[in-house]
Amino acid sequence: MDYNFSDIENSAREKWAKEDIYKVSNDTSLPKYYVLDMFPYPSGAGLHVGHPLGYIASDIFSRFKRLKGFNVLHPMGWDAFGLPAEQYAIQTGQHPAITTKNNIDRYKSQMNMLGLSYDWSREYKTSDPAFYKWTQWIFLKLFKSWYNNKTKKAEPIEDLIAQFEKSGTKDIHAACGEELNFSAEEWKGYSEKEKSDILFNYRLAYLSEAWVNWCPALGTVLANDEVKDGVSERGGYPVERKLMPQWSLRITAYAERLLNGLDTIEWSESMKEAQRNWIGRSEGCSLEFKIESGRYKVTVFTTRPDTVFGVSFITLAPENELVGKITPDSHKAKVEEYVNLAKNKTERERQAEVKKVSGEFTGAYAIHPFTGKEIPIWVGDYVLAGYGTGAVMGVPAHDSRDHAFAKHFGLDIPIVIEAPEGWDILKESYDGKTGKCINSDFLNGLEVKEAIRVVIEEIENRGLGKGKVNFRLRDAAFGRQRYWGEPIPIYYKTVVSRQSSVVSEIPVALEESELPLILPPIDKFQPTETGDPPLARATDWKYKDKDGKEYHYEYTTMPGWAGSSWYYLRYMDPNNANEFASKDAISYWQNIDLYIGGAEHATGHLLYFRFWTKFLFDYGLVPFEEPAKKLVNQGMIQGVSAFIIRVNFVWYQLKNIDMTGAKIPAVYISKEVVDSLPNNEIVSNEIIKLFHSSFLKLNPKFTNKIHEENIQLRSYAYTNIHIPVSMVSDKDELNIDMYSEDWFAKEKLSPTNQVPIFFPQNSKYICVREVEKMSKSKYNVVTPDDVIAQYGTDTMRMYEMFLGPLEMSKPWSTQGISGVYNFLRKFWKLFFDENDAFVGVDPRVDPPTTATPIDTGLTHGSTPTATPTPIELKILHKTIKKIEEDMERLSFNTSVSAFMICLNELQELKCNKRAILEPLVICLSPFAPFICEVLWSKLGHTSSVIKASYPKFEEKYLVENTFSYPVSFNGKTRFMLELPLNISKEEIEKQVLASEDAQKWIKDQNIKKVIVVPNKIVNIVLG
RNA sequence: GCCCUGGUGGUGGAAUUGGUAGACACGCAGGACUUAAAAUCCUGUAUUCAUUGCGAAUGUGCGGGUUCAAGUCCCGCCCGGGGUACCA
């Protein structure tokens, strides 16, 4: 009986569907284990071969944990809100909900094809009101909270209001936008609008005028992590800086906890580092400089207060409010011109001009707090408005940017640190190097580290500033001028101010009972003519109060990362209408034990979902501070693209069609062309750019082939590569001719269903191979569908694991897939005898004598007739142990090879004993569930192999009484010597030295030393 | 620039705590079966030299070092991948 993967898959699928095998219960006494994949945004392209890498790994691990007796939560859902669906809607008018649904269906069928063991009864999509009700609910919770720096947690805003009413801002240590000072009386005197504005300074979800990343092409605001190199991550459109009212989340309040929490979780070092850098904690102090005129003062933040005597100027950010206030009339025109110029620059221009020094003298001077000297105040766009105080003290001798600035404008460069050797004091910053203060009054002679401590003390004593910790992390922009997202549950109440009778709007939160605020239908997805977000188009979408008065809702929607910030909790209790998840469900499942997903979410999702978890923790809504104990980032499977540049093609008409009904064209490359391919065909990006106008990009199958064939150019003759006709559609430009069938005859090739593209000997071309992220626009996408159709799911699963370590990125290639396929075929054959019947395995004897853990669901018999030999048992238990160890460190590639080794050895012994093969089927089942399920039932089990128990490893079968010692001389291994295990070091040494082989190597040389490491090695040092 | 990663045969990769480098697989070469091909099976396969057999030397990006012993640890470089970028 041959290995027929499609029959096998069908029969296994049928069985699982009947038993609803992946259903997970919350109500169990078993220990829990939570394995989660980052849920995907279902894009139009479907899954490509890169997606399953993580899914397969987590699936194998889940199945393994189940065999080990855990109740495993392994769910999947959909991150359904997002930009692409809306962009598509704008272009086509098709509602994003429809596109999204179609895409989800496609994804789901592909996932099922991969045999992923998700409990689909827990599936949801973030765009479903039953789900986003709770996203809105958490938003409201944030809106109604402030962060108390004293208790280090979020607290209800009512408590803060109560304190304001009692004693104003006295003794309040809150995370806030700016430090405010008012008394209880003042607070009580404020208008409703003023109170609302003040509270926004403290709320964790707040509305404020903020500099945002505005993307005109997308018509929306983007978060910092959605902007790359000054352009939008999605689409690559230019991004500008714009001041506008903006919903934000006060993630900065959690900066310290987000940073410290990293030490408690098992994430890769690079991931933690990326988050640490993004949070960017730096210690230093604030320092005030009085301005000459006396009315104003500048506060700077510095990490190097020890260099305070080296300050020769102060620079303000162009956006700093002080600029307008302190600039004397004599300098006003020039300064304003500069400020406007700087403000109007796009992010990209600003970044591109990083190395260009620009600035303007304000005409104002500050007084040095220690020397009393006058210091000129400048404006410069190298100072960022959003970081620290938007002002820096210029220490040109010890900071490279200040140095460049001073040099450019001819300012003084006083040296205040003695440069130790190896430290280019003008160019490099201080990073743990040592140096002593000079020309610094009371700091003279002190080490940098010590000087920082002393000077901060002095600054604090004189009331000039205080030691401070600054974070690079900014609050997260939370509003998008978009339709396809969660509506923000806020409406705007109009109020008339008592004093001025000015009408203003106050944002008011919906009541919990009014949730969800449902996304209304709209006719067009563009912004309105007045520039309002698309939601302003919604008709009959108003908040009505008790008196029937109508107010408009917030028009912006939540960003893509809102739903994903808490989604992992919903799987625990997905249909709960009263809570985001019940307390019982959360306390059973706890946080994620293993989280698998792409590393590209390092500073986005992975930071936000830690933030939301900590927030929920503060209210006792979840009993843990970190959402994921262990995180593994699967590597990216890259696409390979080939570029054929300046080439003449010869075209052959399609004749046949393949089994799916599609025409399969192919490409032939002549021997001459291949022979002349440069060995190193990977040309740098520079060349690609140079030829950008004249190359044709080819489909990945073609590319893989080029990749493979180049390796073996010597024996290379011809290759045929499938290539979609659409890919060569610009054939006119490529001078493509029909080619005759004679040519095929001559070349001994079959022209059936092939479109040959011929590279004549004299054509000029360059072939370039490029490895990059798979993307539809790059024509380098390979879907798992084709691979599965050809080799089956079990092969696909094992092959993706066999490619290499999970975390490593690698280009996709099917080179080597036959190794895995052959393995499964041979494994299958092990169960059948020469007559192709499933009698190869010995039957069991009726009636059962003893119960063993592996005979769950057995219909007949229990004791195998054939007794396994010690060597067979050794092979089995060696494998059981190895797989278990590899699982612990998620080393799936080595487990696959362990199975191969095991099979090779059993094949050698022609072993077909039930006692060996039955446990092996269980071990292999997480990797190749289909074949194992079918073999399992052929072995006589009625229940699924999924319900089996992982075989118990028995050390006793591996015990050896001899060890084969490698004996080396001066570190070089010369021969092996088999010795008993239980003899002493001295005895080993004696026996080794006495051996014939050793004598041959020693001859008359002097033995200096003999190192014996029991069970490892013997090394003899001669000389 | 800074931070993180990685660099091992023709290829993907293995070597888990410093202890036989190259497991496993692909590819390739030779052989068996076959009219032939495919499939399958067997043998070989790091490099160089030697080859009648035995062998020998070199070898984990480069240069040093520690050690009886280094792919693994230390110092200094080079190259690839990812992140970040006036963060004071």
Side-chain angles (χ1 to χ4, degrees):
Chain A
M1 196 161 142
D2 281 342
Y3 170 61
N4 181 330
F5 61 81
S6 58
D7 287 355
I8 288 169
E9 283 176 27
N10 290 339
S11 107
R13 280 215 164 84
E14 204 179 306
K15 185 171 175 186
W16 294 333
K18 225 186 280 167
E19 294 179 26
D20 200 4
I21 201 85
Y22 302 132
K23 180 109 174 153
V24 181
S25 166
N26 282 3
D27 190 21
T28 161
S29 57
L30 292 175
K32 71 97 189 185
Y33 203 89
Y34 188 2
V35 181
L36 187 64
D37 292 301
M38 288 185 189
F39 67 167
Y41 173 78
S43 83
L47 290 178
H48 58 65
V49 290
H51 291 110
L53 186 66
Y55 300 153
I56 294 169
S58 64
D59 190 67
I60 291 173
F61 198 73
S62 303
R63 287 171 183 272
F64 174 73
K65 278 285 170 184
R66 264 181 223 130
L67 296 176
K68 285 297 244 178
F70 288 86
N71 187 34
V72 178
L73 180 58
H74 185 45
M76 179 49 75
W78 313 101
D79 187 15
F81 277 133
L83 271 177
E86 183 156 354
Q87 286 297 100
Y88 189 72
I90 290 173
Q91 286 157 24
T92 63
Q94 187 166 42
H95 196 280
I98 297 168
T99 347
T100 307
K101 192 190 171 300
N102 292 342
N103 293 346
I104 287 176
D105 290 346
R106 170 95 198 275
Y107 268 62
K108 199 169 164 181
S109 83
Q110 282 182 306
M111 284 175 174
N112 282 330
M113 205 158 65
L114 286 164
L116 304 177
S117 59
Y118 297 129
D119 175 1
W120 287 114
S121 73
R122 292 171 186 261
E123 174 193 11
Y124 56 74
K125 48 178 187 280
T126 54
S127 59
D128 190 333
F131 179 90
Y132 69 65
K133 172 181 178 179
W134 300 106
T135 313
Q136 292 173 334
W137 185 83
I138 296 171
F139 171 84
L140 287 184
K141 198 98 189 146
L142 284 157
F143 177 81
K144 291 178 190 164
S145 301
W146 66 294
Y147 195 83
N148 189 341
N149 279 332
K150 267 195 282 189
T151 58
K152 291 196 169 32
K153 60 177 208 171
E155 291 175 4
I157 197 84
E158 286 81 20
D159 296 0
L160 184 68
I161 296 170
Q163 287 197 50
F164 285 164
E165 279 170 355
K166 212 171 103 202
S167 48
T169 51
K170 197 163 169 278
D171 289 335
I172 283 176
H173 295 280
C176 57
E178 52 181 314
E179 294 286 345
L180 299 177
N181 271 304
F182 52 79
S183 65
E185 280 62 45
E186 283 173 297
W187 169 257
K188 285 171 192 154
Y190 290 139
S191 70
E192 202 183 345
K193 170 72 179 160
E194 282 166 327
K195 279 182 180 167
S196 164
D197 286 348
I198 288 170
L199 288 176
F200 272 135
N201 190 44
Y202 300 97
R203 291 184 194 273
L204 291 183
Y206 64 96
L207 193 60
S208 68
E209 287 280 318
W211 287 100
V212 294
N213 305 307
W214 173 253
C215 179
L218 293 172
T220 193
V221 163
L222 298 171
N224 284 346
D225 63 280
E226 292 168 314
V227 181
K228 287 239 151 69
D229 303 324
V231 297
S232 66
E233 199 180 20
R234 260 189 211 284
Y237 303 110
V239 172
E240 293 170 8
R241 298 165 38 70
K242 196 172 165 184
L243 195 64
M244 58 188 292
Q246 172 67 40
W247 282 98
S248 303
L249 298 190
R250 205 177 299 284
I251 188 173
T252 49
Y254 285 84
E256 192 85 54
R257 281 167 65 185
L258 287 168
L259 191 66
N260 295 338
L262 290 172
D263 297 332
T264 68
I265 47 181
E266 222 183 306
W267 291 19
S268 72
E269 205 41 50
S270 62
M271 192 56 41
K272 289 184 182 182
E273 246 347 270
Q275 293 215 342
R276 282 190 194 111
N277 291 338
W278 191 259
I279 296 166
R281 184 181 195 274
S282 59
E283 279 178 35
C285 75
S286 64
L287 178 60
E288 274 176 17
F289 287 76
K290 285 211 170 59
I291 292 176
E292 224 182 5
S293 64
R295 271 187 66 197
Y296 299 105
K297 57 193 181 191
V298 189
T299 306
V300 300
F301 172 77
T302 178
T303 56
R304 294 291 308 281
D306 58 303
T307 61
V308 69
F309 289 93
V311 175
S312 65
F313 60 94
I314 279 172
T315 315
L316 304 178
E319 292 90 350
N320 194 314
E321 290 175 2
L322 273 174
V323 175
K325 292 176 184 161
I326 61 166
T327 307
D329 292 344
S330 53
H331 289 75
K332 251 198 168 113
K334 276 191 134 169
V335 168
E336 267 172 27
E337 191 190 336
Y338 177 75
V339 167
N340 284 333
L341 202 76
K343 275 186 187 169
N344 289 333
K345 273 184 199 166
T346 64
E347 270 299 298
R348 178 159 250 194
E349 284 167 339
R350 242 180 124 117
Q351 285 184 10
E353 289 169 13
V354 161
K355 290 199 177 69
K356 257 209 269 178
V357 177
S358 78
E360 191 65 45
F361 177 43
T362 61
Y365 291 87
I367 309 295
H368 192 288
F370 291 110
T371 66
K373 273 196 210 151
E374 279 189 351
I375 303 164
I377 302 176
W378 287 66
V379 199
D381 69 358
Y382 79 95
V383 180
L384 302 175
Y387 183 76
T389 58
V392 301
M393 59 181 214
V395 187
H398 307 291
D399 180 280
S400 58
R401 295 149 309 179
D402 294 344
H403 185 252
F405 195 80
K407 228 172 151 186
H408 189 262
F409 292 109
L411 303 167
D412 279 354
I413 305 182
I415 292 173
V416 290
I417 305 286
E418 203 172 32
E421 214 170 314
W423 177 10
D424 186 343
I425 206 153
L426 291 178
K427 290 191 188 125
E428 294 171 50
S429 57
Y430 164 82
D431 54 354
K433 294 187 184 76
T434 53
K436 284 201 169 84
C437 293
I438 49 168
N439 305 324
S440 296
D441 194 2
F442 61 93
L443 296 175
N444 281 341
L446 294 177
E447 267 291 321
V448 169
K449 229 176 166 173
E450 177 68 359
I452 291 174
R453 198 186 57 77
V454 170
V455 77
I456 291 180
E457 210 174 280
E458 187 64 21
I459 288 168
E460 286 181 348
N461 284 343
R462 297 200 197 184
L464 296 166
K466 54 183 173 185
K468 213 177 152 186
V469 174
N470 234 328
F471 293 95
R472 204 193 76 119
L473 183 72
R474 312 283 173 82
D475 280 345
F478 199 68
R480 296 295 123 94
Q481 286 64 24
R482 286 272 148 184
Y483 170 72
W484 191 233
E486 299 89 343
I488 294 178
I490 293 284
Y491 67 92
Y492 288 86
K493 193 168 138 188
T494 38
V495 288
V496 183
S497 144
R498 268 171 293 168
Q499 298 99 324
S500 52
S501 72
V502 173
V503 181
S504 50
E505 292 187 322
I506 297 178
V508 182
L510 258 58
E511 291 300 316
E512 199 180 308
S513 60
E514 293 166 328
L515 298 180
L517 173 59
I518 300 211
L519 188 66
I522 55 173
D523 53 354
K524 266 163 104 183
F525 302 99
Q526 283 88 346
T528 65
E529 285 66 35
T530 53
D532 278 324
L535 264 185
R537 292 177 181 275
T539 49
D540 202 25
W541 192 58
K542 296 265 193 263
Y543 182 82
K544 294 186 191 69
D545 69 7
K546 281 175 289 203
D547 311 323
K549 215 170 152 202
E550 292 188 337
Y551 304 100
H552 76 86
Y553 285 118
E554 169 65 46
Y555 292 141
T556 60
T557 53
M558 299 188 197
W561 50 268
S564 61
S565 294
W566 74 278
Y567 79 111
Y568 72 99
L569 295 165
R570 189 64 177 170
Y571 290 122
M572 299 173 185
D573 193 8
N575 301 312
N576 195 326
N578 307 314
E579 292 165 282
F580 61 84
S582 75
K583 275 235 146 47
D584 285 351
I586 296 171
S587 75
Y588 175 61
W589 290 112
Q590 295 278 324
N591 44 6
I592 305 163
D593 292 284
L594 176 65
Y595 195 31
I596 296 188
E600 67 272 21
H601 300 107
T603 53
H605 160 64
L606 288 172
L607 202 56
Y608 299 132
F609 101 133
R610 293 183 59 221
F611 160 42
W612 282 37
T613 302
K614 285 176 192 300
F615 171 73
L616 294 174
F617 172 80
D618 287 350
Y619 278 104
L621 294 165
V622 297
F624 42 83
E625 270 216 61
E626 288 291 342
K629 282 184 214 153
K630 181 168 181 164
L631 170 79
V632 174
N633 302 112
Q634 90 270 27
M636 207 183 353
I637 298 219
Q638 295 135 322
V640 185
S641 320
F643 303 94
I644 304 293
I645 301 163
R646 289 186 190 166
V647 65
N648 295 312
F649 285 80
V650 178
W651 174 267
Y652 187 78
Q653 190 60 51
L654 291 168
K655 278 199 167 172
N656 291 353
I657 54 171
D658 74 354
M659 51 220 182
T660 66
K663 294 185 172 184
I664 320 179
V667 182
Y668 285 102
I669 304 174
S670 75
K671 188 176 187 307
E672 293 86 344
V673 166
V674 175
D675 282 348
S676 53
L677 275 174
N679 251 325
N680 181 4
E681 88 285 14
I682 304 161
V683 183
S684 75
N685 288 347
E686 296 311 307
I687 295 180
I688 294 174
K689 279 173 199 149
L690 195 68
F691 286 92
H692 196 275
S693 52
S694 61
F695 65 69
L696 170 74
K697 204 154 183 178
L698 298 166
N699 143 309
K701 291 177 182 167
F702 173 84
T703 305
N704 285 341
K705 213 63 190 177
I706 290 205
H707 171 51
E708 286 164 32
E709 302 304 340
N710 263 324
I711 298 151
Q712 296 292 339
L713 281 180
R714 291 157 310 201
S715 57
Y716 184 88
Y718 296 94
T719 183
N720 55 346
I721 303 107
H722 296 284
I723 173 173
V725 191
S726 61
M727 296 303 309
V728 290
S729 58
D730 30 10
K731 57 192 175 205
D732 294 337
E733 293 165 39
L734 290 159
N735 186 23
I736 293 166
D737 299 314
M738 294 291 285
Y739 206 78
S740 75
E741 286 192 49
D742 298 348
W743 181 77
F744 287 93
K746 203 176 81 200
E747 303 293 332
K748 286 190 194 160
L749 287 165
S750 153
T752 50
N753 67 20
Q754 314 275 316
V755 176
I757 294 177
F758 179 65
F759 300 73
Q761 202 170 354
N762 58 357
S763 71
K764 285 187 178 171
Y765 68 90
I766 295 177
C767 176
V768 186
R769 197 170 72 95
E770 195 182 16
V771 175
E772 57 195 347
K773 200 172 162 176
M774 276 196 189
S775 115
K776 212 176 169 184
S777 62
K778 287 171 183 152
Y779 294 114
N780 63 356
V781 175
V782 186
T783 68
D785 310 36
D786 310 343
V787 182
I788 289 174
Q790 200 178 345
Y791 296 99
T793 302
D794 285 335
T795 301
M796 171 75 190
R797 288 169 62 104
M798 287 191 88
Y799 180 61
E800 285 227 6
M801 293 301 103
F802 192 56
L803 275 174
L806 181 59
E807 288 101 324
M808 206 181 274
S809 288
K810 50 230 153 191
W812 174 255
S813 148
T814 49
Q815 174 185 41
I817 196 165
S818 58
V820 172
Y821 185 66
N822 284 340
F823 162 77
L824 287 170
R825 271 176 35 203
K826 287 184 206 165
F827 187 71
W828 177 261
K829 276 197 155 164
L830 212 53
F831 290 77
F832 299 89
D833 66 5
E834 302 83 37
N835 305 319
D836 280 354
F838 191 79
V839 290
V841 172
D842 55 281
R844 285 174 176 262
V845 181
D846 254 347
T849 48
T850 50
T852 64
I854 53 163
D855 60 6
T856 326
L858 211 64
T859 47
H860 59 86
S862 112
T863 308
T865 45
T867 318
T869 64
I871 185 93
E872 288 166 340
L873 282 166
K874 188 179 161 190
I875 294 167
L876 171 68
H877 284 270
K878 193 177 71 183
T879 307
I880 293 172
K881 186 179 179 207
K882 172 78 177 154
I883 300 303
E884 225 165 328
E885 285 169 356
D886 284 351
M887 278 299 156
E888 286 314 312
R889 51 191 186 108
L890 304 176
S891 177
F892 302 102
N893 56 328
T894 51
S895 4
V896 175
S897 85
F899 282 122
M900 289 173 169
I901 294 168
C902 175
L903 175 66
N904 289 346
E905 288 173 352
L906 291 179
Q907 221 174 18
E908 187 106 332
L909 298 171
K910 295 200 165 40
C911 170
N912 56 358
K913 290 173 187 155
R914 173 179 289 268
I916 301 298
L917 297 185
E918 206 165 54
L920 210 53
V921 167
I922 301 174
C923 291
L924 184 66
S925 69
F927 293 81
F930 295 97
I931 191 176
C932 291
E933 183 67 59
V934 171
L935 290 173
W936 186 248
S937 75
K938 280 187 185 293
L939 281 164
H941 302 269
T942 47
S943 77
S944 168
V945 67
I946 292 163
K947 305 248 155 121
S949 296
Y950 193 81
K952 195 171 175 310
F953 165 63
E954 301 270 7
E955 184 72 49
K956 65 182 177 200
Y957 297 121
L958 298 195
V959 176
E960 303 256 6
N961 40 27
T962 62
F963 179 81
S964 186
Y965 281 90
V967 180
S968 39
F969 293 84
N970 292 337
K972 274 180 196 155
T973 309
R974 295 303 182 183
F975 64 91
M976 306 297 289
L977 187 66
E978 187 132 329
L979 291 172
L981 268 182
N982 53 3
I983 58 173
S984 70
K985 265 182 154 184
E986 291 71 29
E987 184 65 20
I988 294 169
E989 181 173 338
K990 216 175 107 190
Q991 293 214 25
V992 167
L993 290 178
S995 73
E996 217 176 288
D997 282 318
Q999 285 306 318
K1000 197 178 83 194
W1001 282 97
I1002 297 165
K1003 283 186 186 149
D1004 49 0
Q1005 290 177 90
N1006 184 26
I1007 299 168
K1008 264 187 169 165
K1009 201 172 172 186
V1010 179
I1011 288 120
V1012 177
V1013 185
N1015 298 340
K1016 276 270 164 69
I1017 199 167
V1018 176
N1019 189 17
I1020 298 161
V1021 188
L1022 301 171

